Amino acid sequence: MKYTKEQWKELCDRIMMTLRPTQYPVAMKFTKTQEELDSIRNVTFCQNKANACKTIGMAAHFQGTFAITPDHFSGYYCAMNNGLMKITQEYIDGAILYKDPTPWHHDQEDAKKHIASNMQYLPEEPYTALVCSAFCNCDIEEADCVILRLPTQAAFHLLAGFVETDWQRLEIPFSGESNCADTWMRTVKEGKIGLSLGCRGDRATGALSYGEVQITMTLEQLLKALDGVDTIEKNGILYPYNPTCLYKGAF
């Protein structure tokens, strides 16, 4: 689905009024060729120990369009998790997950299982770049997925809107310190909604705030969720939820 700059701005206003997030929603695009990357206007390239989480955070905070290429990553783990570098044996062996500086597992076999799970969402050939653009000033015409950083109450309200019609149980994976795999990489590969509680990368480098979570969706899924939210609110379930219980006869 292609969106013009004006349509992205209208959608941004709708989200800000409906869910009241403190950060701007972000459109994400993985470019397959240099020509595709060059066609996106107003791109600022992340520098200095950059990663995917930082790129999202820059767009969400500074209302611009930011990109990261393989040359800009601070380390191979994030680059490979996001499909921007060719896979190496060191990555497959899970070295970074059970050795310094980030020993998330004490055993190599657990680290290898973790990596094997991540790899199911990776492209056959590496992307040329990852581009993130804030809805309010979006330079991406056709997003691979969208990212919303929301207070937990707003996240619940949005997902309740998604299941308001065509109900389906949402299954949210958790693999540990690989929320990119659980969220946007999964959404891009399988078209499934992702929910991140906020991994170390999100918090330490991406400026995901205390009390916020991160949701990834396709644009079509986001529009369905917002339409569901509108219906829920017309039925009298208002956001934010008031602790005094705004039911008929409560006053």
Side-chain angles (χ1 to χ4, degrees), residues 228-240:
V229 166
D230 288 346
T231 300
I232 289 170
E233 295 190 350
K234 286 176 184 176
N235 291 341
I237 304 173
L238 303 180
Y239 174 82

Side-chain angles (χ1 to χ4, degrees), residues 129-156:
L130 167 61
V131 185
C132 295
S133 192
F135 281 21
C136 59
N137 192 27
C138 191
D139 291 294
I140 295 172
E141 287 189 353
E142 195 167 5
D144 291 325
C145 77
V146 298
I147 300 175
L148 293 92
R149 295 175 154 203
L150 300 171
T152 53
Q153 183 182 157
F156 176 87

Side-chain angles (χ1 to χ4, degrees), residues 12-251:
C12 180
D13 292 343
R14 183 182 181 187
I15 291 168
M16 300 303 282
M17 290 294 293
T18 302
L19 300 174
R20 309 180 197 185
T22 59
Q23 300 189 41
Y24 285 91
V26 171
M28 174 181 278
K29 180 74 176 178
F30 287 94
T31 60
K32 296 181 174 66
T33 64
Q34 185 63 43
E35 291 74 21
E36 189 178 13
L37 175 59
D38 292 341
S39 71
I40 301 174
R41 302 179 62 188
N42 304 315
V43 174
T44 298
F45 290 94
C46 291
Q47 307 290 332
N48 305 322
K49 295 184 177 181
N51 55 35
C53 298
K54 178 181 177 181
T55 309
I56 296 166
M58 294 286 285
H61 276 267
F62 300 121
Q63 307 160 47
T65 301
F66 297 87
I68 186 169
T69 72
D71 294 336
H72 296 129
F73 276 92
S74 57
Y76 74 84
Y77 181 69
C78 182
M80 292 180 189
N81 271 351
N82 285 273
L84 284 158
M85 281 188 185
K86 284 189 176 294
I87 299 303
T88 63
Q89 192 60 47
E90 184 178 10
Y91 174 81
I92 293 171
D93 289 342
I96 199 169
L97 294 178
Y98 77 97
K99 293 181 179 179
D100 289 336
T102 52
W104 288 99
H105 304 290
H106 78 281
D107 183 273
Q108 184 178 9
E109 289 307 308
D110 287 322
K112 290 172 71 174
K113 290 176 185 176
H114 187 156
I115 294 297
S117 175
N118 294 354
M119 287 180 65
Q120 66 184 303
Y121 304 121
L122 301 184
E124 292 183 6
E125 292 295 327
Y127 300 114
T128 57
L130 167 61
V131 185
C132 295
S133 192
F135 281 21
C136 59
N137 192 27
C138 191
D139 291 294
I140 295 172
E141 287 189 353
E142 195 167 5
D144 291 325
C145 77
V146 298
I147 300 175
L148 293 92
R149 295 175 154 203
L150 300 171
T152 53
Q153 183 182 157
F156 176 87
H157 200 59
L158 181 66
L159 294 179
F162 182 78
V163 299
E164 187 270 331
T165 56
D166 257 347
W167 185 91
Q168 59 181 284
R169 182 183 179 90
L170 296 180
E171 302 288 348
I172 305 298
F174 178 83
S175 60
E177 184 64 15
S178 295
N179 278 192
C180 45
D182 293 339
T183 53
W184 58 85
M185 297 303 291
R186 179 173 179 255
T187 300
V188 170
K189 187 70 176 288
E190 298 184 347
K192 294 180 179 178
I193 291 173
L195 171 65
S196 168
L197 301 177
C199 68
R200 180 173 176 266
D202 290 325
R203 308 288 183 186
T205 68
L208 186 66
S209 299
Y210 178 82
E212 290 181 327
V213 295
Q214 194 158 257
I215 290 177
T216 61
M217 297 174 152
T218 64
L219 178 56
E220 291 83 357
Q221 289 168 334
L222 173 60
L223 295 174
K224 176 182 184 293
L226 290 171
D227 288 345
V229 166
D230 288 346
T231 300
I232 289 170
E233 295 190 350
K234 286 176 184 176
N235 291 341
I237 304 173
L238 303 180
Y239 174 82
Y241 308 142
N242 193 295
T244 58
C245 300
L246 296 181
Y247 296 116
K248 291 180 181 177
F251 296 99

